[in-house]
Structures are given as structure tokens and as C-alpha cells.
Amino acid sequence: LRCLINSLTLWLKEFFMHLSTAKTFFEEFIGSPAADFQVLQQSGSSRINFIGKSHNQDFIITYNENIRENEAFLYLSEEFSALKLNTPKILAVNEEKTLYVQEFLGKNTLSEIISTEGHSERVKSLVKQTLEKLFTLQQKTEGKIDFRRTFEYEAYDNLPITHDLYYFKNFMVDVLELPYHKSSLLKEFQTLTTKIEHLAPKTIMLRDFQSRNILVNEENQVFFIDYQSAMLGPAVYDVVSFLFQAKANFPAEWKTEMLDFYFSLWDSETQPALKEALPYCQLIRFLQVLGAYGFRGLIQRKAHFLSSIGQGIKNLTDFSANWQENTAFPELYSVIKKLNEPDTQKKINALISG
């Protein structure tokens, strides 16, 4: 208990120091005391976001000690702004590159609107607009981004794909102690990696493209945020991340309709490649997401991730049950089926409540 109290005391001391530093930086930017300055709720990131008010104007202030992550976000934001895309403008950066002020684009995320309205006609319109804006971003950035300046990976190739597969194995399968034949599973991972690495067409891939990273303003315009992990990758990956996210739980007919809409934005020669890439992007995204839920939820105990585990497993098992390529990956298919077994569900419930 003493260790817990000491850790909490240290965390609070560091937090208030960051808050004070961020507020001072913001007030230097606006040239006057802030009318209001509040911290925003964190999700899976170590970044701390604040909302600062100057007279009748709001701003987002971000504190992050990961300089490489900040440099990637700042670089991409500069390029996106030059292309007049629906992303925030960067208004000020401190000398150390640990603090920056962003344009305020909206009070609500699309995730919050979905939670309030459910699958309303307004939400459906916002989903369609999101896909249209994503396609525009993919097209306008072609040949314009220096992927050597990205954060973790230049492209969705062998390294990140392998990482995502092991993320699922290490933080979901192994944490739940599901049995599997190790060499068989790892060989299947190698086969999957080779296939996914060569999917086409390739565009910028924002990576964590989901409704909580999409802002909506009062005019019902959507804006993209938190794209610092962008890299070169399959165009349809972000579409899968968005339409099949566990928290939104869009109806099946919506997903089919919106996939058809997105495909229709491309020329007829490219559409077959997009459709071929779709199931592989679904599989790798579902696996990666469950790995994240395992790490952020079962290990780090973050509520948002714990509450999404059930839907994440349903997404993966429903997909796997109907995927025609299952016979090529029997060990992986066996592991996925085990996620739905009663004993596995008991383990998950025990870990969640424990």
C-alpha cells in the first residue's frame, strides 16, 4: 500500500508539473492569461492533451516527451495542411519539441456521437463523409510524403506485420494460456506476413483510424487527428480499422454499403485488388486490436480496452468462421476458435474482474 501511495504521489507531482508547464507555454503563445485550461481524458497514449481558452477561442495543447513521435506528427501535419486536408494546423511548438499548440476542430469525437445517437442517419452520413475524406487524403498525399520521417515504421512490411501478429500471440493468446503448436503457428505467421506485405494498392496508412480519432464540428464536418503512426501500407487497411472497430459495432449492412461506396471512389481497374486485400486487412487488424486489448486492458487495466474485448473477439471469430482461406492457416484458425470456448470466456471474465 505504501508503494502504491508513493507511486500515486509521484505521478500527481509529475502531472501537475506538466500542467503548469503546458499552461505557461500556452499563455506565452496567446500573450495573456488563459481564460480556462483543462486536461482532456487520456486513452491508450502517454500523450497529455489540454484544452486552453483565450477569450472566445479554444486551442488544443499537447505535452509528449517522445520527441520522435512529436516530430512525425508535426511533419505530417505540415504536409497535410499544405495540401488543405481535414487535419489540425500546428500553431506553435516549444524549443524542446515536447509541447505544441493545435487548432481546435470540434468538441466531440465521432465515437462520442455514436455512443449518444447510436446508428442514426446522421452517424451514417458522417461515416460516409469520413470514407470520402480518407480517400481524398490517400489520393492527395500520393508521392508527397517522405516516409523516412515517419514515427515507428516507413511501411507496413515484414517488421510491423510480424509485430502485430506477435502482439496478438503474446498479450491475448499467451496471457489466456491457450494451447497451440508453436512452430506451426509461427510458420503460418510467416506466410501471412509475406501475403499482407504485398497487398495493393498502397497509400498512406494512418494506422489507428477509428471513430475516437475523428472530430466532428458544429457544421458536421469531420477532421482526422492522432495520425503520428502513419506509414505506407494497403489502402483498405484504414477502411477496415474504421468500419470494423469493436466500439462502434456498425450493422453488417452498413459495413457492406460503406465498403461498396469506398470501392466506388476508385477506378474499376483498382477495385479487384482492393477487394482481394480486404479479408487479409480484416484478419491482421482484428488480431492486432485484440493484442492491444490484451496489453492495454488485461495488463494495464484500462477500462476502454477491457470493455471492448468481447466485441473484438466476436469480430475476429465471426470473420474467421466465414473466411475461405482458413484451411491454409489451420493452427491460427484453431487458436481463434478457442477464444469463444466457455473456459476461455471464464478466464477473460476472471481477469477483467480481478
Side-chain angles (χ1 to χ4, degrees), residues 132-323:
E132 196 166 15
K133 296 286 189 181
L134 173 64
F135 175 76
T136 299
L137 183 143
Q138 290 173 332
Q139 296 300 302
K140 282 193 171 184
T141 54
E142 185 177 2
K144 302 285 195 337
I145 303 299
D146 182 357
F147 288 101
R148 294 171 299 179
R149 299 183 64 178
T150 51
F151 174 36
E152 294 174 316
Y153 304 103
E154 294 182 25
Y156 198 57
D157 54 20
N158 180 277
L159 290 178
I161 297 168
T162 301
H163 173 273
D164 287 352
L165 291 168
Y166 277 80
Y167 204 35
F168 167 71
K169 184 190 81 68
N170 294 344
F171 294 111
M172 184 57 66
V173 178
D174 291 342
V175 167
L176 295 175
E177 298 180 322
L178 301 182
Y180 60 90
H181 189 262
K182 290 186 179 180
S183 66
S184 297
L185 185 64
L186 301 189
K187 286 174 184 176
E188 290 177 14
F189 280 0
Q190 289 179 325
T191 303
L192 262 177
T193 298
T194 300
K195 178 65 180 179
I196 294 169
E197 188 175 9
H198 293 95
L199 295 176
K202 294 191 186 301
T203 64
I204 190 170
M205 179 179 119
L206 300 185
R207 178 61 156 160
D208 197 22
F209 191 69
Q210 50 186 313
S211 58
R212 65 185 172 89
N213 289 332
I214 297 167
L215 293 173
V216 182
N217 69 8
E218 293 179 355
E219 287 76 41
N220 279 331
Q221 296 172 314
V222 299
F223 298 89
F224 304 157
I225 59 172
D226 285 3
Y227 39 76
Q228 56 279 339
S229 295
M231 64 189 83
L232 183 68
V236 79
Y237 183 97
D238 283 339
V239 179
V240 167
S241 298
F242 177 57
L243 290 180
F244 293 87
Q245 58 191 298
K247 199 73 174 176
N249 196 21
F250 294 131
E253 60 271 20
W254 274 32
K255 288 182 276 197
T256 300
E257 180 182 344
M258 292 303 163
L259 280 171
D260 289 341
F261 169 72
Y262 175 77
F263 292 151
S264 73
L265 299 173
W266 290 81
D267 59 78
S268 57
E269 290 79 12
T270 307
Q271 290 181 26
L274 288 164
K275 293 175 181 178
E276 180 185 351
L278 176 63
Y280 287 97
C281 286
Q282 285 178 268
L283 177 62
I284 190 63
R285 180 62 181 179
F286 294 160
L287 294 172
Q288 186 273 331
V289 163
L290 272 182
Y293 292 168
F295 178 63
R296 299 294 187 187
L298 299 177
I299 305 298
Q300 293 187 332
R301 316 296 302 166
K302 294 188 176 182
H304 164 76
F305 297 93
L306 285 170
S307 65
S308 300
I309 289 174
Q311 186 61 46
I313 289 175
K314 186 178 187 304
N315 280 350
L316 177 59
T317 54
D318 286 355
F319 164 80
S320 180
N322 297 293
W323 189 37

Side-chain angles (χ1 to χ4, degrees), residues 89-119:
K89 294 182 177 66
I90 304 300
L91 306 173
V93 184
N94 72 347
E95 187 176 347
E96 297 80 12
K97 295 184 180 178
T98 56
L99 272 167
Y100 51 91
V101 179
Q102 303 178 59
E103 178 184 17
F104 180 83
L105 294 173
K107 292 181 179 179
N108 296 310
T109 65
L110 181 53
S111 178
E112 291 167 338
I113 294 173
I114 293 169
S115 295
T116 302
E117 298 185 13
H119 303 129

Side-chain angles (χ1 to χ4, degrees), residues 64-128:
N64 185 14
E65 293 180 349
N66 191 325
I67 306 299
R68 293 186 68 172
E69 184 178 23
N70 293 342
E71 287 176 339
F73 181 77
L74 296 170
Y75 164 68
L76 290 167
S77 296
E78 181 182 2
E79 294 298 322
F80 292 166
S81 292
L83 294 168
K84 295 180 169 52
L85 295 169
N86 56 322
T87 55
K89 294 182 177 66
I90 304 300
L91 306 173
V93 184
N94 72 347
E95 187 176 347
E96 297 80 12
K97 295 184 180 178
T98 56
L99 272 167
Y100 51 91
V101 179
Q102 303 178 59
E103 178 184 17
F104 180 83
L105 294 173
K107 292 181 179 179
N108 296 310
T109 65
L110 181 53
S111 178
E112 291 167 338
I113 294 173
I114 293 169
S115 295
T116 302
E117 298 185 13
H119 303 129
S120 65
E121 285 302 311
R122 179 192 178 206
V123 168
K124 188 175 184 179
S125 175
L126 291 171
V127 169
K128 192 171 185 178

